[in-house]
């Protein structure tokens, strides 16, 4: 539960001079760029020293840096940041660096619904949400002795898929598994991966309408994961595993992608159902979210994960994607967030998109 009283917090803000802030990592170049395009001042929270590489990207460089020794120190600086009229745009690294508990209680207006964190980080709750929305997820194998098909073993809270492994039999699983960390065993879905970048606005009714607000598809990507995505340059996975070389799933980058157009109706149906269910369960996933999917050879989607904020997979689209271009030229997810803030400011509805 967030203990932040957004109404009270915003009461002390100079709304004409809002400053968009985030941690200097992940999708910050895009977020600062998008905020600047919409006329906002920007502030980059960085550790230790000003990140020099921002000088190389003047249009993605924040107007001001706020230096902390440790990201957790942001908690102590909340008042100072309030005085600067800071609105936080959280991304995956921001939440991770601060820690989920700190994030939910951070006393700063934050874009999106912070309640979503508990529904996305708890694998069982995530299943209740997504399956409750009619989404097909990979089957879970509760007892490793029942492994009959390839599975992927995921350690809870693993960063960037670190430590995940594939097993095809119980014997293989037993050889690889580490019992010191909790894990989930999931059917390994065969197919092609698409990471779908949606934007849900509870306050704007243009475009693809939902019961409340509207939904956009801004872009999609495929993650580039080392070593699994290029391991075949050295030999087949089976061959390499015999030599004790196991593929890993560590994200190193993102590749732009488009999908065959006939699949788009399904993409919207899924996004719509996920938003409607979120409204019912916890007041809605507000702003950007991403469904991480595999499309099977029967052209069915299986969703193995949801990220309920801006994902780094939107970074290839600083100047728009083949989808956002059909909404408005030059529209990144970062810029879309800034536009939502502008719209809310104009219609006095900031409290509906900030928590
Ligand atoms: P995650 O941390 O759940 O996003 O998973 C990391 C990576 O593992 C994904 O980007 C996929 O490449 C892969 N992956 C995760 N779950 C599955 C699955 N059920 N079937 C196939 N690949 C998966």
């Amino acid at each position: 539960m967030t203990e932040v009283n957004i109404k009270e917090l915003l009461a002390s803000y100079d709304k004409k001079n809002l400053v968009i802030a985030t941690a200097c990592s992940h999708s910050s170049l895009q977020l600062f760029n998008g905020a600047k395009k919409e006329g906002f001042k920007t502030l980059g929270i960085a550790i230790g020293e000003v990140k020099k590489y921002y000088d190389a990207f003047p249009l993605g460089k924040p107007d001001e840096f706020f230096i902390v020794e440790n990201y957790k120190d942001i908690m102590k600086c909340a008042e100072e940041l309030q005085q600067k009229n800071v609105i936080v745009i959280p991304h995956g690294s921001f939440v991770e660096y601060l820690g989920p508990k700190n994030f939910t209680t951070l006393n700063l207006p934050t874009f999106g619904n912070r309640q979503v964190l508990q529904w996305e980080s708890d694998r069982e709750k995530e299943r209740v949400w997504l399956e409750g929305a009619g989404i097909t997820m990979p089957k879970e194998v509760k007892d490793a002795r029942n492994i009959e098909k390839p599975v992927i073993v995921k350690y809870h809270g693993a960063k960037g898929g670190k430590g995940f492994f594939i097993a095809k039999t119980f014997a293989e699983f037993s050889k690889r598994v580490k019992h010191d960390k909790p894990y989930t065993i999931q059917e390994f879905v065969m197919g092609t991966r698409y990471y779908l970048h949606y934007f849900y606005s509870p306050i704007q009714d243009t475009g693809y309408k939902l019961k409340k607000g509207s939904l956009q598809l801004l872009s999609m990507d495929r993650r580039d994961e080392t070593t699994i995505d290029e391991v075949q340059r050295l030999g087949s996975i089976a061959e390499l595993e015999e030599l004790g070389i196991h593929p890993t799933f560590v994200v190193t980058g993102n590749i732009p992608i488009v999908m065959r157009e006939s699949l788009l109706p399904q993409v919207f149906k899924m996004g719509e159902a996920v938003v409607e269910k979120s409204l019912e369960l916890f007041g809605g996933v507000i702003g950007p979210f991403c469904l991480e999917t595999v499309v099977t050879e029967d052209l069915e989607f299986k969703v193995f994960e949801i990220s309920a904020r801006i994902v780094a997979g939107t970074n290839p689209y600083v100047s728009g994607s083949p989808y956002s271009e059909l909404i408005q030229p030059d529209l990144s997810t970062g810029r879309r967030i800034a536009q939502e803030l502008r719209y809310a400011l104009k219609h006095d509805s900031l409290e509906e998109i900030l928590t």
Side-chain angles (χ1 to χ4, degrees):
M1 279 297 275
T2 165
E3 291 158 24
V4 177
N5 185 333
I6 189 68
K7 209 184 174 93
E8 241 171 55
L9 249 183
L10 285 174
S12 66
Y13 267 54
D14 173 3
K15 308 228 174 43
K16 286 202 178 72
N17 287 303
L18 294 185
V19 173
I20 287 190
T22 197
C24 287
S25 185
H26 191 273
S27 46
S28 67
L29 287 164
Q30 181 201 153
L31 286 166
F32 296 137
N33 177 258
K36 282 163 181 257
K37 280 177 179 160
E38 295 301 316
F40 285 105
K41 284 260 170 289
T42 51
L43 178 142
I45 304 168
I47 282 196
E49 57 187 68
V50 168
K51 303 256 180 179
K52 190 163 185 282
Y53 78 86
Y54 280 88
D55 290 338
F57 304 112
L59 302 182
K61 184 181 172 178
D63 298 303
E64 185 188 343
F65 283 97
F66 189 86
I67 306 298
V68 286
E69 250 175 60
N70 180 307
Y71 277 115
K72 296 204 166 49
D73 291 347
I74 298 172
M75 300 304 287
K76 291 185 260 172
C77 304
E79 221 166 287
E80 198 180 331
L81 291 167
Q82 283 168 21
Q83 277 155 19
K84 291 179 184 282
N85 298 303
V86 155
I87 305 276
V88 169
I89 314 293
H91 49 57
S93 302
F94 185 90
V95 176
E96 188 188 311
Y97 297 157
L98 205 63
K101 219 175 177 172
N102 283 339
F103 173 66
T104 41
T105 53
L106 176 65
N107 206 19
L108 285 170
T110 301
F111 187 73
N113 183 354
R114 280 188 260 187
Q115 299 258 3
V116 73
L117 195 62
Q118 45 171 322
W119 287 87
E120 119 196 81
S121 57
D122 177 329
R123 286 205 185 268
E124 275 170 35
K125 281 185 135 177
E126 185 188 33
R127 222 166 244 279
V128 168
W129 175 12
L130 297 182
E131 290 189 339
I135 298 287
T136 310
M137 295 183 75
K139 285 194 197 73
E140 215 178 290
V141 180
K142 295 266 188 228
D143 185 338
R145 282 168 299 194
N146 297 333
I147 295 176
E148 286 168 349
K149 291 188 201 157
V151 294
I152 178 163
V153 181
K154 302 180 173 187
Y155 292 104
H156 294 189
K159 286 170 209 151
K162 216 162 181 197
F164 286 16
F165 67 92
I166 300 171
K168 292 178 279 315
T169 59
F170 176 56
E172 239 181 276
F173 167 86
S174 308
K175 226 166 42 188
R176 299 276 324 270
V177 74
K178 289 195 179 73
H179 286 288
D180 54 344
K181 291 175 277 187
Y183 56 81
T184 309
I185 309 172
Q186 214 175 62
E187 160 200 12
F188 187 90
V189 183
M190 299 290 290
T192 44
R193 289 168 298 131
Y194 291 85
Y195 299 72
L196 312 172
H197 314 144
Y198 299 90
F199 190 97
Y200 169 59
S201 167
I203 53 175
Q204 296 200 51
D205 269 333
T206 48
Y208 187 95
K209 289 186 190 56
L210 306 192
K211 274 187 207 131
K212 179 186 177 201
S214 56
L215 182 69
Q216 291 172 321
L217 175 72
L218 292 181
S219 50
M220 52 184 83
D221 78 298
R222 178 164 302 160
R223 278 192 202 154
D224 212 7
E225 292 169 337
T226 185
T227 58
I228 184 84
D229 287 338
E230 295 213 27
V231 77
Q232 74 285 352
R233 299 177 81 187
L234 200 58
S236 75
I237 293 180
E239 257 173 325
L240 296 170
E241 292 212 310
E242 264 177 36
L243 300 170
I245 302 171
H246 303 288
T248 53
F249 294 83
V250 179
V251 182
T252 53
N254 302 86
I255 306 166
I257 202 163
V258 287
M259 182 177 275
R260 54 191 281 181
E261 203 167 307
S262 58
L263 291 173
L264 288 179
Q266 280 191 70
V267 167
F268 275 92
K269 259 190 208 144
M270 287 193 301
E272 176 168 7
V274 165
V275 172
E276 301 287 11
K277 193 72 196 172
S278 74
L279 286 164
E280 194 183 305
L281 291 173
F282 55 86
V285 53
I286 295 165
F289 68 97
C290 172
L291 292 182
E292 304 178 10
T293 75
V294 176
V295 183
T296 68
E297 59 188 342
D298 300 320
L299 299 181
E300 281 168 1
F301 283 86
K302 294 210 177 167
V303 176
F304 56 88
E305 193 87 79
I306 183 166
S307 297
R309 60 197 58 74
I310 186 168
V311 289
T314 59
N315 285 338
Y317 307 111
V318 170
S319 53
S321 82
Y323 298 104
S324 67
E325 191 67 12
L326 304 173
I327 301 169
Q328 183 193 328
D330 201 22
L331 182 65
S332 66
T333 296
R335 185 172 185 189
R336 180 65 190 84
I337 292 170
Q339 285 183 348
E340 191 76 349
L341 284 164
R342 271 272 166 258
Y343 183 92
L345 267 170
K346 193 167 162 206
H347 294 86
D348 197 20
S349 49
L350 276 177
E351 282 165 37
E352 289 193 52
I353 58 165
L354 300 174
T355 51

